[in-house]
Short mmCIF file of all heavy atoms in Angstrom, two decimals:
data_model
loop_
_atom_site.label_atom_id
_atom_site.label_comp_id
_atom_site.label_asym_id
_atom_site.label_seq_id
_atom_site.Cartn_x
_atom_site.Cartn_y
_atom_site.Cartn_z
N MET A 11 77.21 170.58 99.05
CA MET A 11 76.62 169.46 98.17
C MET A 11 75.19 169.33 98.53
O MET A 11 74.74 169.46 99.63
CB MET A 11 77.39 168.13 98.62
CG MET A 11 76.83 167.02 98.00
SD MET A 11 77.70 165.45 98.25
CE MET A 11 78.43 165.47 99.80
N GLU A 12 74.41 169.13 97.42
CA GLU A 12 72.94 169.00 97.56
C GLU A 12 72.59 167.47 97.48
O GLU A 12 73.01 166.74 96.58
CB GLU A 12 72.31 169.81 96.47
CG GLU A 12 70.73 169.83 96.68
CD GLU A 12 70.13 170.66 95.55
OE1 GLU A 12 70.61 171.76 95.38
OE2 GLU A 12 69.11 170.20 95.04
N GLU A 13 71.81 167.02 98.41
CA GLU A 13 71.34 165.58 98.41
C GLU A 13 69.78 165.59 98.19
O GLU A 13 69.12 166.63 98.51
CB GLU A 13 71.60 164.89 99.73
CG GLU A 13 73.15 164.72 99.97
CD GLU A 13 73.85 163.93 98.98
OE1 GLU A 13 73.24 163.04 98.41
OE2 GLU A 13 75.05 164.10 98.85
N ASP A 14 69.26 164.54 97.66
CA ASP A 14 67.86 164.45 97.38
C ASP A 14 67.20 163.55 98.38
O ASP A 14 67.67 162.56 98.74
CB ASP A 14 67.66 163.89 95.96
CG ASP A 14 66.27 164.09 95.45
OD1 ASP A 14 65.39 164.59 96.12
OD2 ASP A 14 65.98 163.84 94.23
N LEU A 15 66.00 163.96 98.84
CA LEU A 15 65.17 163.14 99.77
C LEU A 15 64.68 161.79 99.07
O LEU A 15 64.67 160.77 99.68
CB LEU A 15 64.06 163.89 100.29
CG LEU A 15 63.15 163.19 101.30
CD1 LEU A 15 63.89 162.89 102.57
CD2 LEU A 15 61.96 164.06 101.69
N PHE A 16 64.36 161.98 97.88
CA PHE A 16 63.73 160.78 97.08
C PHE A 16 64.81 159.96 96.37
O PHE A 16 65.72 160.52 95.73
CB PHE A 16 62.73 161.40 96.06
CG PHE A 16 61.65 162.11 96.70
CD1 PHE A 16 61.73 163.55 96.67
CD2 PHE A 16 60.60 161.55 97.31
CE1 PHE A 16 60.72 164.35 97.26
CE2 PHE A 16 59.55 162.32 97.96
CZ PHE A 16 59.70 163.74 97.84
N SER A 17 64.68 158.68 96.32
CA SER A 17 65.52 157.74 95.60
C SER A 17 65.11 157.85 93.99
O SER A 17 64.06 158.58 93.69
CB SER A 17 65.45 156.34 96.08
OG SER A 17 64.11 155.84 95.86
N ALA A 18 65.79 157.13 93.21
CA ALA A 18 65.45 157.15 91.79
C ALA A 18 63.98 156.78 91.53
O ALA A 18 63.41 157.22 90.53
CB ALA A 18 66.42 156.16 91.02
N ASP A 19 63.42 155.79 92.32
CA ASP A 19 62.03 155.36 92.14
C ASP A 19 61.08 156.21 92.95
O ASP A 19 60.00 155.80 93.22
CB ASP A 19 61.88 153.93 92.34
CG ASP A 19 62.00 153.54 93.73
OD1 ASP A 19 62.37 154.24 94.64
OD2 ASP A 19 61.53 152.34 94.12
N ASP A 20 61.52 157.34 93.66
CA ASP A 20 60.68 158.25 94.37
C ASP A 20 60.35 157.66 95.79
O ASP A 20 59.35 158.05 96.42
CB ASP A 20 59.42 158.65 93.71
CG ASP A 20 59.69 159.54 92.53
OD1 ASP A 20 60.71 160.33 92.61
OD2 ASP A 20 58.87 159.62 91.57
N SER A 21 61.17 156.70 96.32
CA SER A 21 60.91 156.15 97.64
C SER A 21 61.69 156.96 98.62
O SER A 21 62.80 157.53 98.26
CB SER A 21 61.49 154.60 97.61
OG SER A 21 60.60 153.86 96.85
N PHE A 22 61.22 156.94 99.78
CA PHE A 22 61.91 157.53 100.98
C PHE A 22 61.43 156.85 102.33
O PHE A 22 60.55 156.04 102.25
CB PHE A 22 61.73 159.06 101.07
CG PHE A 22 60.32 159.51 101.12
CD1 PHE A 22 59.80 159.89 102.40
CD2 PHE A 22 59.42 159.49 100.14
CE1 PHE A 22 58.50 160.27 102.55
CE2 PHE A 22 58.18 159.98 100.21
CZ PHE A 22 57.70 160.34 101.48
N LEU A 23 62.10 157.15 103.34
CA LEU A 23 61.71 156.60 104.68
C LEU A 23 60.86 157.56 105.46
O LEU A 23 61.06 158.79 105.32
CB LEU A 23 62.98 156.28 105.50
CG LEU A 23 63.90 155.20 104.89
CD1 LEU A 23 65.19 155.14 105.66
CD2 LEU A 23 63.21 153.86 104.88
N LEU A 24 59.93 157.10 106.24
CA LEU A 24 59.05 157.97 106.94
C LEU A 24 58.82 157.44 108.39
O LEU A 24 58.69 156.16 108.57
CB LEU A 24 57.66 158.05 106.25
CG LEU A 24 56.64 159.03 106.89
CD1 LEU A 24 57.05 160.48 106.60
CD2 LEU A 24 55.31 158.80 106.23
N SER A 25 58.92 158.27 109.31
CA SER A 25 58.72 157.88 110.65
C SER A 25 57.76 158.94 111.32
O SER A 25 58.00 160.13 111.26
CB SER A 25 60.09 157.96 111.47
OG SER A 25 59.90 157.61 112.91
N MET A 26 56.71 158.37 111.96
CA MET A 26 55.75 159.27 112.59
C MET A 26 55.91 159.39 114.09
O MET A 26 56.55 158.50 114.67
CB MET A 26 54.33 158.70 112.26
CG MET A 26 53.89 158.56 110.91
SD MET A 26 53.70 160.17 110.10
CE MET A 26 52.39 160.80 111.01
N SER A 27 55.35 160.36 114.67
CA SER A 27 55.36 160.49 116.11
C SER A 27 53.98 160.12 116.61
O SER A 27 53.07 159.89 115.76
CB SER A 27 55.68 161.93 116.56
OG SER A 27 54.66 162.76 116.17
N GLY A 28 53.76 160.10 117.90
CA GLY A 28 52.51 159.88 118.49
C GLY A 28 52.35 158.44 119.14
O GLY A 28 53.27 157.67 119.03
N THR A 29 51.34 158.24 119.87
CA THR A 29 51.21 156.99 120.65
C THR A 29 51.21 155.76 119.69
O THR A 29 50.51 155.70 118.72
CB THR A 29 49.75 156.98 121.32
OG1 THR A 29 49.63 158.25 122.14
CG2 THR A 29 49.48 155.79 122.08
N GLY A 30 52.11 154.77 120.07
CA GLY A 30 52.24 153.66 119.41
C GLY A 30 53.13 153.67 118.22
O GLY A 30 53.53 152.58 117.60
N SER A 31 53.64 154.86 117.77
CA SER A 31 54.51 155.00 116.59
C SER A 31 55.88 154.38 116.75
O SER A 31 56.44 153.88 115.74
CB SER A 31 54.61 156.45 116.12
OG SER A 31 55.25 157.13 117.14
N ARG A 32 56.36 154.23 117.92
CA ARG A 32 57.64 153.72 118.23
C ARG A 32 57.78 152.32 117.70
O ARG A 32 58.83 151.86 117.31
CB ARG A 32 58.01 153.91 119.63
CG ARG A 32 59.50 153.50 119.94
CD ARG A 32 59.77 153.83 121.29
NE ARG A 32 61.30 153.67 121.54
CZ ARG A 32 61.82 153.91 122.66
NH1 ARG A 32 61.09 154.20 123.71
NH2 ARG A 32 63.13 153.79 122.78
N ALA A 33 56.64 151.48 117.92
CA ALA A 33 56.57 150.10 117.49
C ALA A 33 56.70 150.02 116.02
O ALA A 33 57.11 148.91 115.56
CB ALA A 33 55.27 149.43 117.97
N PHE A 34 56.44 151.04 115.15
CA PHE A 34 56.50 150.90 113.73
C PHE A 34 57.87 151.28 113.20
O PHE A 34 58.23 150.81 112.10
CB PHE A 34 55.44 151.72 113.07
CG PHE A 34 54.06 151.19 113.35
CD1 PHE A 34 53.30 151.90 114.29
CD2 PHE A 34 53.52 150.12 112.66
CE1 PHE A 34 51.93 151.33 114.53
CE2 PHE A 34 52.30 149.60 112.97
CZ PHE A 34 51.52 150.22 113.93
N GLY A 35 58.63 152.15 113.85
CA GLY A 35 59.88 152.61 113.36
C GLY A 35 59.74 153.28 112.03
O GLY A 35 58.85 154.03 111.81
N TRP A 36 60.76 153.02 111.15
CA TRP A 36 60.80 153.63 109.86
C TRP A 36 60.01 152.75 108.75
O TRP A 36 60.13 151.55 108.77
CB TRP A 36 62.23 153.80 109.32
CG TRP A 36 63.00 154.77 110.09
CD1 TRP A 36 63.76 154.56 111.19
CD2 TRP A 36 63.00 156.16 109.83
NE1 TRP A 36 64.28 155.71 111.70
CE2 TRP A 36 63.98 156.71 110.89
CE3 TRP A 36 62.47 157.04 108.96
CZ2 TRP A 36 64.15 158.12 110.95
CZ3 TRP A 36 62.69 158.39 109.01
CH2 TRP A 36 63.53 158.95 110.04
N ALA A 37 59.23 153.42 108.00
CA ALA A 37 58.48 152.81 106.95
C ALA A 37 59.01 153.32 105.55
O ALA A 37 59.20 154.53 105.37
CB ALA A 37 56.91 153.05 106.95
N THR A 38 59.27 152.36 104.58
CA THR A 38 59.60 152.76 103.22
C THR A 38 58.31 153.14 102.57
O THR A 38 57.49 152.28 102.43
CB THR A 38 60.37 151.71 102.51
OG1 THR A 38 61.52 151.41 103.28
CG2 THR A 38 60.84 152.25 101.12
N VAL A 39 58.24 154.33 101.96
CA VAL A 39 57.09 154.87 101.27
C VAL A 39 57.52 155.24 99.92
O VAL A 39 58.70 155.63 99.66
CB VAL A 39 56.31 155.88 101.95
CG1 VAL A 39 55.70 155.33 103.24
CG2 VAL A 39 57.15 157.05 102.33
N LYS A 40 56.59 155.37 98.93
CA LYS A 40 56.83 155.89 97.57
C LYS A 40 55.95 157.07 97.30
O LYS A 40 54.68 156.94 97.52
CB LYS A 40 56.66 154.78 96.53
CG LYS A 40 57.12 155.06 95.20
CD LYS A 40 57.08 153.97 94.28
CE LYS A 40 57.45 154.39 92.84
NZ LYS A 40 57.53 153.24 91.95
N TRP A 41 56.60 158.17 96.91
CA TRP A 41 55.80 159.35 96.52
C TRP A 41 54.99 159.07 95.25
O TRP A 41 55.39 158.43 94.33
CB TRP A 41 56.78 160.42 96.20
CG TRP A 41 56.03 161.71 95.95
CD1 TRP A 41 55.84 162.26 94.73
CD2 TRP A 41 55.54 162.61 96.84
NE1 TRP A 41 55.09 163.48 94.85
CE2 TRP A 41 54.96 163.74 96.16
CE3 TRP A 41 55.50 162.65 98.29
CZ2 TRP A 41 54.32 164.79 96.80
CZ3 TRP A 41 54.81 163.72 98.91
CH2 TRP A 41 54.30 164.72 98.12
N ALA A 42 53.76 159.53 95.23
CA ALA A 42 52.82 159.38 94.17
C ALA A 42 52.46 160.74 93.72
O ALA A 42 52.06 161.59 94.44
CB ALA A 42 51.55 158.60 94.52
N PRO A 43 52.60 161.09 92.42
CA PRO A 43 52.33 162.45 91.83
C PRO A 43 50.85 162.80 92.21
O PRO A 43 49.96 161.98 92.13
CB PRO A 43 52.45 162.25 90.39
CG PRO A 43 53.44 161.12 90.21
CD PRO A 43 53.09 160.22 91.31
N GLY A 44 50.66 164.02 92.63
CA GLY A 44 49.35 164.56 92.94
C GLY A 44 48.87 164.29 94.33
O GLY A 44 47.90 164.85 94.75
N VAL A 45 49.60 163.52 95.11
CA VAL A 45 49.18 163.17 96.53
C VAL A 45 49.77 164.23 97.38
O VAL A 45 50.97 164.65 97.38
CB VAL A 45 49.64 161.85 96.91
CG1 VAL A 45 49.42 161.58 98.43
CG2 VAL A 45 48.92 160.77 96.15
N GLU A 46 48.92 164.84 98.34
CA GLU A 46 49.48 165.73 99.29
C GLU A 46 49.77 164.97 100.59
O GLU A 46 48.89 164.48 101.22
CB GLU A 46 48.39 166.85 99.59
CG GLU A 46 48.18 167.73 98.31
CD GLU A 46 47.22 168.82 98.67
OE1 GLU A 46 46.99 169.15 99.83
OE2 GLU A 46 46.59 169.37 97.72
N LEU A 47 51.04 164.87 100.90
CA LEU A 47 51.45 164.03 102.03
C LEU A 47 50.73 164.40 103.26
O LEU A 47 50.27 163.63 104.09
CB LEU A 47 52.98 164.15 102.23
CG LEU A 47 53.55 163.38 103.38
CD1 LEU A 47 53.34 161.87 103.19
CD2 LEU A 47 55.11 163.64 103.49
N SER A 48 50.66 165.77 103.56
CA SER A 48 50.09 166.22 104.82
C SER A 48 48.63 165.80 104.92
O SER A 48 48.12 165.47 106.01
CB SER A 48 50.13 167.70 105.01
OG SER A 48 49.54 168.35 103.89
N ALA A 49 47.89 165.69 103.78
CA ALA A 49 46.47 165.23 103.83
C ALA A 49 46.33 163.76 104.23
O ALA A 49 45.29 163.36 104.61
CB ALA A 49 45.84 165.60 102.58
N ARG A 50 47.49 162.97 103.85
CA ARG A 50 47.34 161.56 104.10
C ARG A 50 47.80 161.27 105.60
O ARG A 50 47.50 160.11 106.00
CB ARG A 50 48.36 160.88 103.15
CG ARG A 50 47.87 160.98 101.71
CD ARG A 50 46.57 160.35 101.42
NE ARG A 50 46.20 160.51 100.04
CZ ARG A 50 44.98 160.47 99.63
NH1 ARG A 50 43.98 160.25 100.54
NH2 ARG A 50 44.63 160.59 98.37
N LEU A 51 48.52 162.09 106.22
CA LEU A 51 48.94 161.86 107.59
C LEU A 51 47.96 162.41 108.54
O LEU A 51 48.10 163.59 109.00
CB LEU A 51 50.31 162.52 107.82
CG LEU A 51 51.46 162.02 106.92
CD1 LEU A 51 52.70 162.78 107.11
CD2 LEU A 51 51.67 160.51 107.00
N VAL A 52 46.93 161.74 108.74
CA VAL A 52 45.69 162.20 109.49
C VAL A 52 46.03 162.48 110.97
O VAL A 52 46.55 161.56 111.61
CB VAL A 52 44.53 161.34 109.29
CG1 VAL A 52 43.24 161.75 110.09
CG2 VAL A 52 44.11 161.15 107.83
N ASN A 53 45.66 163.56 111.44
CA ASN A 53 45.99 163.90 112.84
C ASN A 53 44.71 163.37 113.65
O ASN A 53 43.66 163.86 113.44
CB ASN A 53 46.06 165.44 113.05
CG ASN A 53 46.39 165.88 114.49
OD1 ASN A 53 46.31 165.02 115.37
ND2 ASN A 53 46.78 167.06 114.64
N ARG A 54 44.97 162.49 114.48
CA ARG A 54 43.93 161.84 115.28
C ARG A 54 43.87 162.37 116.73
O ARG A 54 43.83 161.61 117.63
CB ARG A 54 44.08 160.28 115.35
CG ARG A 54 44.02 159.71 113.89
CD ARG A 54 43.87 158.25 113.96
NE ARG A 54 44.10 157.58 112.71
CZ ARG A 54 43.38 157.65 111.58
NH1 ARG A 54 42.41 158.36 111.53
NH2 ARG A 54 43.62 156.91 110.50
N GLY A 55 43.96 163.71 116.88
CA GLY A 55 43.95 164.36 118.13
C GLY A 55 45.29 164.46 118.78
O GLY A 55 45.38 164.99 119.89
N GLU A 56 46.37 164.02 118.07
CA GLU A 56 47.62 164.18 118.66
C GLU A 56 48.47 165.19 117.72
O GLU A 56 47.98 165.53 116.71
CB GLU A 56 48.43 162.84 118.61
CG GLU A 56 47.78 161.79 119.61
CD GLU A 56 48.60 160.60 119.67
OE1 GLU A 56 49.87 160.65 119.53
OE2 GLU A 56 48.01 159.52 119.90
N VAL A 57 49.58 165.59 118.15
CA VAL A 57 50.44 166.48 117.37
C VAL A 57 50.95 165.64 116.12
O VAL A 57 51.31 164.51 116.23
CB VAL A 57 51.66 166.89 118.23
CG1 VAL A 57 52.65 167.67 117.37
CG2 VAL A 57 51.26 167.70 119.42
N LEU A 58 50.80 166.33 115.08
CA LEU A 58 51.26 165.69 113.69
C LEU A 58 52.71 166.03 113.47
O LEU A 58 53.04 167.01 112.91
CB LEU A 58 50.25 166.17 112.59
CG LEU A 58 50.59 165.59 111.25
CD1 LEU A 58 50.57 164.10 111.17
CD2 LEU A 58 49.67 166.18 110.19
N ASP A 59 53.65 165.24 113.88
CA ASP A 59 55.02 165.37 113.66
C ASP A 59 55.46 164.15 112.84
O ASP A 59 55.08 162.98 113.06
CB ASP A 59 55.82 165.31 115.00
CG ASP A 59 55.46 166.53 115.85
OD1 ASP A 59 54.98 167.47 115.32
OD2 ASP A 59 55.81 166.52 117.08
N PHE A 60 56.43 164.36 111.93
CA PHE A 60 57.00 163.24 111.23
C PHE A 60 58.45 163.60 110.69
O PHE A 60 58.74 164.79 110.70
CB PHE A 60 56.16 162.78 110.04
CG PHE A 60 56.05 163.73 108.95
CD1 PHE A 60 56.91 163.72 107.89
CD2 PHE A 60 55.02 164.66 108.84
CE1 PHE A 60 56.83 164.61 106.82
CE2 PHE A 60 54.84 165.52 107.81
CZ PHE A 60 55.79 165.54 106.73
N VAL A 61 59.13 162.63 110.47
CA VAL A 61 60.53 162.79 109.95
C VAL A 61 60.55 161.93 108.62
O VAL A 61 60.20 160.78 108.64
CB VAL A 61 61.64 162.32 110.80
CG1 VAL A 61 63.02 162.48 110.21
CG2 VAL A 61 61.53 163.05 112.18
N ALA A 62 61.10 162.55 107.52
CA ALA A 62 61.25 161.91 106.29
C ALA A 62 62.74 161.83 106.06
O ALA A 62 63.51 162.75 106.38
CB ALA A 62 60.66 162.59 105.14
N MET A 63 63.35 160.70 105.58
CA MET A 63 64.72 160.46 105.40
C MET A 63 65.00 159.75 104.04
O MET A 63 64.27 158.84 103.73
CB MET A 63 65.38 159.82 106.54
CG MET A 63 66.90 159.58 106.44
SD MET A 63 67.66 159.03 107.94
CE MET A 63 66.92 157.50 108.21
N SER A 64 66.02 160.18 103.34
CA SER A 64 66.34 159.50 102.16
C SER A 64 66.86 157.99 102.44
O SER A 64 67.25 157.70 103.61
CB SER A 64 67.49 160.14 101.45
OG SER A 64 68.72 160.34 102.24
N LEU A 65 66.67 157.14 101.50
CA LEU A 65 67.04 155.68 101.80
C LEU A 65 68.47 155.57 102.18
O LEU A 65 68.89 154.64 102.95
CB LEU A 65 66.75 154.83 100.48
CG LEU A 65 65.20 154.82 100.16
CD1 LEU A 65 65.11 153.90 98.97
CD2 LEU A 65 64.46 154.25 101.32
N ASP A 66 69.38 156.45 101.69
CA ASP A 66 70.78 156.41 102.01
C ASP A 66 71.13 157.09 103.30
O ASP A 66 72.27 157.11 103.78
CB ASP A 66 71.64 156.82 100.87
CG ASP A 66 71.45 158.29 100.54
OD1 ASP A 66 70.78 159.04 101.23
OD2 ASP A 66 71.93 158.80 99.54
N GLY A 67 70.12 157.76 103.96
CA GLY A 67 70.39 158.49 105.19
C GLY A 67 71.12 159.84 105.09
O GLY A 67 71.45 160.45 106.12
N LYS A 68 71.28 160.31 103.88
CA LYS A 68 72.04 161.53 103.67
C LYS A 68 71.21 162.84 103.73
O LYS A 68 71.67 163.87 103.94
CB LYS A 68 72.76 161.52 102.32
CG LYS A 68 73.93 160.47 102.30
CD LYS A 68 74.58 160.57 100.89
CE LYS A 68 75.75 159.62 101.01
NZ LYS A 68 76.51 159.68 99.68
N SER A 69 69.83 162.76 103.58
CA SER A 69 68.92 163.82 103.61
C SER A 69 67.82 163.50 104.55
O SER A 69 67.24 162.48 104.58
CB SER A 69 68.30 164.08 102.26
OG SER A 69 69.30 164.53 101.37
N VAL A 70 67.46 164.52 105.45
CA VAL A 70 66.45 164.44 106.43
C VAL A 70 65.60 165.68 106.36
O VAL A 70 66.07 166.75 106.28
CB VAL A 70 67.02 164.22 107.83
CG1 VAL A 70 65.93 164.13 108.87
CG2 VAL A 70 67.86 163.00 107.95
N CYS A 71 64.29 165.43 106.53
CA CYS A 71 63.31 166.58 106.56
C CYS A 71 62.35 166.34 107.69
O CYS A 71 61.72 165.16 107.76
CB CYS A 71 62.55 166.63 105.23
SG CYS A 71 61.28 167.91 105.31
N ALA A 72 62.16 167.19 108.60
CA ALA A 72 61.40 167.00 109.75
C ALA A 72 60.24 168.07 109.73
O ALA A 72 60.44 169.20 109.38
CB ALA A 72 62.11 167.05 111.06
N VAL A 73 58.96 167.65 110.19
CA VAL A 73 57.88 168.53 110.32
C VAL A 73 57.31 168.45 111.70
O VAL A 73 57.10 167.33 112.20
CB VAL A 73 56.80 168.27 109.27
CG1 VAL A 73 55.56 169.10 109.48
CG2 VAL A 73 57.36 168.38 107.86
N THR A 74 57.12 169.51 112.29
CA THR A 74 56.58 169.50 113.69
C THR A 74 55.46 170.58 113.81
O THR A 74 55.45 171.57 113.09
CB THR A 74 57.71 169.71 114.78
OG1 THR A 74 57.11 169.59 116.06
CG2 THR A 74 58.24 171.16 114.52
N GLU A 75 54.64 170.34 114.70
CA GLU A 75 53.47 171.32 114.92
C GLU A 75 53.72 172.06 116.23
O GLU A 75 54.10 171.48 117.19
CB GLU A 75 52.14 170.50 114.98
CG GLU A 75 50.97 171.34 115.24
CD GLU A 75 49.71 170.56 115.36
OE1 GLU A 75 49.74 169.37 115.48
OE2 GLU A 75 48.55 171.18 115.46
N GLU A 76 53.46 173.41 116.14
CA GLU A 76 53.61 174.23 117.39
C GLU A 76 52.59 175.32 117.24
O GLU A 76 52.64 176.08 116.24
CB GLU A 76 55.08 174.70 117.44
CG GLU A 76 55.28 175.46 118.74
CD GLU A 76 56.72 175.83 118.98
OE1 GLU A 76 57.59 175.23 118.47
OE2 GLU A 76 56.92 176.82 119.63
N ASP A 77 51.82 175.46 118.25
CA ASP A 77 50.84 176.57 118.36
C ASP A 77 49.93 176.62 117.02
O ASP A 77 49.79 177.64 116.45
CB ASP A 77 51.53 177.90 118.50
CG ASP A 77 52.27 178.11 119.76
OD1 ASP A 77 51.84 177.45 120.80
OD2 ASP A 77 53.32 178.79 119.78
N ASP A 78 49.42 175.44 116.70
CA ASP A 78 48.47 175.29 115.61
C ASP A 78 49.11 175.68 114.21
O ASP A 78 48.43 176.17 113.36
CB ASP A 78 47.27 176.11 115.80
CG ASP A 78 46.44 175.56 117.06
OD1 ASP A 78 46.47 174.34 117.20
OD2 ASP A 78 45.87 176.39 117.70
N ASP A 79 50.42 175.55 114.16
CA ASP A 79 51.16 175.90 112.85
C ASP A 79 52.18 174.84 112.63
O ASP A 79 52.62 174.13 113.57
CB ASP A 79 51.77 177.21 112.97
CG ASP A 79 52.03 177.82 111.51
OD1 ASP A 79 51.73 177.18 110.44
OD2 ASP A 79 52.64 178.87 111.51
N TYR A 80 52.66 174.66 111.37
CA TYR A 80 53.66 173.66 111.06
C TYR A 80 54.97 174.39 110.62
O TYR A 80 54.98 175.41 110.07
CB TYR A 80 53.17 172.77 109.93
CG TYR A 80 52.07 171.90 110.41
CD1 TYR A 80 50.71 172.29 110.13
CD2 TYR A 80 52.28 170.74 111.03
CE1 TYR A 80 49.71 171.43 110.50
CE2 TYR A 80 51.13 169.89 111.43
CZ TYR A 80 49.96 170.30 111.25
OH TYR A 80 48.88 169.51 111.59
#
């Protein structure tokens, strides 16, 4: 079975890593056509890791940095 990360209105959940991120938990965000997600998640000297999850929790996508690669 295939599940979609995006809801019908292109919303999904996003959780970042890094100092202080635990206080924010999950944020509901909406995909905008033409926006590059990685360019919006600015690395401020820390490892740029994040987890995206569908609103229903059935799909999860994680990105992590290792040895200057993603």
Side-chain angles (χ1 to χ4, degrees):
M11 174 174 30
E12 185 176 316
E13 299 292 338
D14 197 354
L15 180 66
F16 302 100
S17 66
D19 73 347
D20 291 331
S21 295
F22 61 100
L23 298 170
L24 185 69
S25 179
M26 299 291 298
S27 68
T29 305
S31 63
R32 188 173 193 182
F34 293 104
W36 291 93
T38 303
V39 296
K40 186 172 181 179
W41 184 261
V45 171
E46 294 183 21
L47 181 60
S48 60
R50 299 293 180 206
L51 301 175
V52 178
N53 185 349
R54 301 194 194 291
E56 296 185 32
V57 175
L58 179 60
D59 295 339
F60 67 89
V61 178
M63 182 169 59
S64 61
L65 297 179
D66 64 9
K68 292 183 179 180
S69 294
V70 178
C71 175
V73 174
T74 185
E75 180 181 10
E76 184 175 334
D77 297 329
D78 298 323
D79 200 3
Y80 294 96

